[in-house]
């Protein structure tokens, strides 16, 4: 897996103050994407032990609510295996921290992936330029959903984390 950045003390990509891992690799290539530099799965830097240590240093802080995986697409074929392993390690080491994940895929396409058992909130769906709305919380376009993953897995229906 490769990544472009680790953002610290982020308030825009989930509840509370978060650390955000921006991975490389996205096949959705949405028009007017806010981060097209992350599309290339061979771009950025290797996510090595030093990068993981940097991420965990942030998660060690009491005031950090959790981690957000974004990019790119954490569920891109170049990322999903490593993101699953990393999410598992975070869940074990930081059981009180939340895990958010942004993907261009729809919930219905990814709900059966093993990583979903580790994610608290999923923001799904491609960014759609014609549905862009800067007033929406935690998403860029009206078609996207902010999904409570544990509740959705439990009920078998999409349960939103919050209303727009």
């Amino acid at each position: 897996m490769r990544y472009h950045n680790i953002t610290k003390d982020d308030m825009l990509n989930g509840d509370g103050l978060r650390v955000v891992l921006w991975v490389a690799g996205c096949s959705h290539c949405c028009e007017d994407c806010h981060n097209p530099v992350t599309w290339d799965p061979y771009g950025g830097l290797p996510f090595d032990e030093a990068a993981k240590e940097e991420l965990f240093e942030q998660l060690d802080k009491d005031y950090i609510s959790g981690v957000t995986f974004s990019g790119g697409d954490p569920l891109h074929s170049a990322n999903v295996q490593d993101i699953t392993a990393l999410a598992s390690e975070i869940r074990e080491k930081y059981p009180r921290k939340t895990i958010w994940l942004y993907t261009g895929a729809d919930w219905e396409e990814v709900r059966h992936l093993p990583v979903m058992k580790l994610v608290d909130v999923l923001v799904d769906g491609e960014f759609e330029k014609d549905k862009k709305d800067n007033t929406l919380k935690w998403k860029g376009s009206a078609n996207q959903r902010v999904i409570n993953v544990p509740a959705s897995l439990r009920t078998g229906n999409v349960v939103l984390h919050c209303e727009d």
Side-chain angles (χ1 to χ4, degrees):
M1 179 172 73
R2 299 181 68 82
Y3 78 108
H4 282 272
N5 194 20
I6 296 173
T7 305
K8 299 164 181 133
D9 299 339
D10 181 282
M11 297 186 312
L12 301 175
N13 294 284
D15 284 325
L17 281 175
R18 312 188 67 72
V19 58
V20 182
L21 176 63
W22 302 90
V23 299
C26 185
S27 57
H28 299 284
C29 304
C30 303
E31 184 179 356
D32 279 358
C33 169
H34 76 284
N35 212 2
V37 70
T38 64
W39 291 355
D40 181 0
Y42 303 104
L45 305 164
F47 187 78
D48 58 12
E49 283 303 313
K52 183 160 58 165
E53 188 175 305
E54 181 181 347
L55 187 72
F56 283 14
E57 275 178 16
Q58 295 305 305
L59 287 168
D60 281 340
K61 297 176 180 177
D62 290 338
Y63 65 85
I64 295 295
S65 300
V67 65
T68 299
F69 298 126
S70 193
D73 190 341
L75 301 183
H76 183 277
S77 60
N79 301 321
V80 67
Q81 185 175 357
D82 291 328
I83 285 292
T84 303
L86 183 58
S88 180
E89 191 172 346
I90 290 169
R91 178 64 68 219
E92 186 174 319
K93 188 170 180 160
Y94 306 99
R96 294 200 166 116
K97 306 279 183 172
T98 58
I99 298 174
W100 283 53
L101 191 147
Y102 281 77
T103 181
D106 292 328
W107 166 253
E108 292 76 12
E109 299 171 71
V110 301
R111 66 181 179 203
H112 298 298
L113 293 176
V115 70
M116 287 302 115
K117 293 178 182 165
L118 303 165
V119 172
D120 295 292
V121 177
L122 178 77
V123 182
D124 81 334
E126 292 184 356
F127 171 76
E128 294 183 16
K129 178 181 173 181
D130 63 326
K131 294 179 181 167
K132 179 179 180 177
D133 183 344
N134 292 333
T135 67
L136 298 172
K137 197 170 189 177
W138 299 312
K139 59 186 183 175
S141 58
N143 61 296
Q144 296 172 309
R145 299 175 289 183
V146 182
I147 298 171
N148 178 323
V149 174
S152 298
L153 289 173
R154 213 172 25 258
T155 66
N157 298 308
V158 171
V159 177
L160 297 180
H161 175 67
C162 64
E163 296 300 322
D164 292 336

